[in-house]
Amino acid sequence: MPTPAATHVNTLLASYPNFPQPGILFRDLNPVFADAAAFRALIDELAGRFAGEFDAVAGIEARGFLLAAAVGYAADVAVLAVRKGGKLPGAVLTEEYDLEYGSACLELEIGQLAAGSRVLVLDDVLATGGTIAATSRLIGRAGYALAGVGVVLELTELEGRGRLGDVAVHAIVAL
Ligand code: AMP
C-alpha cells in the first residue's frame, strides 16, 4: 500500500530521457515540490519516519535544501547546508567523490552543532550513492552522528544504498 507521499510522487514525477546527457534518464521532482499537498506529504513522511531520532537535518545542494529547510522547520531542529566546493567561507571540511564522469566535491562548515549531534541527511534522489556517502563522511568528520538518510526517490538499479553502510535509509519511492 503506497503512502500518501508515494502516491503523489508516482502521479507527479516527470522523467526526461537523455538529460542532461545521453544515456541518463533524468527524474524531475520539481512537479512534486510544486504541488502543495504533495510537498507537505513528502515532508510529513520524512519527518515522521525519523521522529525523535535527529537533532538536525543536513540538506545537500541544491534540491536537498528544499527538503531540509521544511523538515527542519517541521521538527523544530537545526538545518545544515552541505554545499558544492568553493562556496562556503571560513573553516570547512571537504570531501571529493567520483561521479559517472569526473569528480565533484562537497563541503560543510565546522563547529555549527554540539559534538555528537544526531544529523539526518536529506536529498531528492539516491542514485549511485556517491553524493550521500560523501555527505555522511562530512557529518562524521565534523563530530556528529549520522541519524539516517531520507530521500524522495531511490534508483535501485544503481545500488547506491550499498555504498552507505548500515545507516537507516528511507526512500519514499524506490524505482
Ligand atoms: P548520486 O549518483 O547518488 O551521487 O547522485 C548524484 C546527484 O545527482 C544526486 O543529488 C541526485 O539528486 C542527482 N541525480 C543522479 N541521478 C539522477 C537522475 N537519474 N535523475 C535526477 N537526479 C539525479
Side-chain angles (χ1 to χ4, degrees):
M1 191 59 182
T3 64
T7 300
H8 285 296
V9 172
N10 288 327
T11 304
L12 294 167
L13 177 69
S15 299
Y16 294 89
N18 301 312
F19 180 88
Q21 55 198 39
I24 302 292
L25 178 60
F26 188 82
R27 306 294 190 164
D28 182 16
L29 288 165
N30 282 339
V32 188
F33 297 154
D35 182 298
F39 185 68
R40 177 175 289 277
L42 298 182
I43 300 311
D44 287 348
E45 181 167 330
L46 292 170
R49 164 61 184 80
F50 294 99
E53 299 176 11
F54 58 103
D55 308 305
V57 287
I60 304 173
E61 187 170 357
R63 287 163 291 196
F65 291 172
L66 302 173
L67 299 167
V71 171
Y73 182 83
D76 196 19
V77 300
V79 178
L80 300 180
V82 175
R83 298 213 62 182
K84 291 170 181 164
K87 295 188 172 182
L88 291 174
V92 299
L93 299 170
T94 300
E95 280 286 338
E96 298 205 6
Y97 62 103
D98 292 330
L99 295 173
E100 283 167 281
Y101 299 94
S103 66
C105 107
L106 289 173
E107 293 184 332
L108 177 67
E109 286 165 275
I110 63 169
Q112 296 175 307
L113 304 175
S117 295
R118 302 167 301 166
V119 179
L120 173 64
V121 170
L122 298 174
D123 202 3
D124 63 337
V125 176
L126 172 60
T128 67
T131 301
I132 292 175
T135 299
S136 301
R137 294 195 296 275
L138 288 173
I139 297 301
R141 288 176 58 202
Y144 312 141
L146 186 62
V149 170
V151 297
V152 178
L153 186 61
E154 176 182 4
L155 304 177
T156 53
E157 66 183 16
L158 296 174
E159 299 178 346
R161 191 179 281 251
R163 296 179 66 174
L164 304 181
D166 62 2
V167 66
V169 179
H170 181 70
I172 292 173
V173 168
L175 291 179

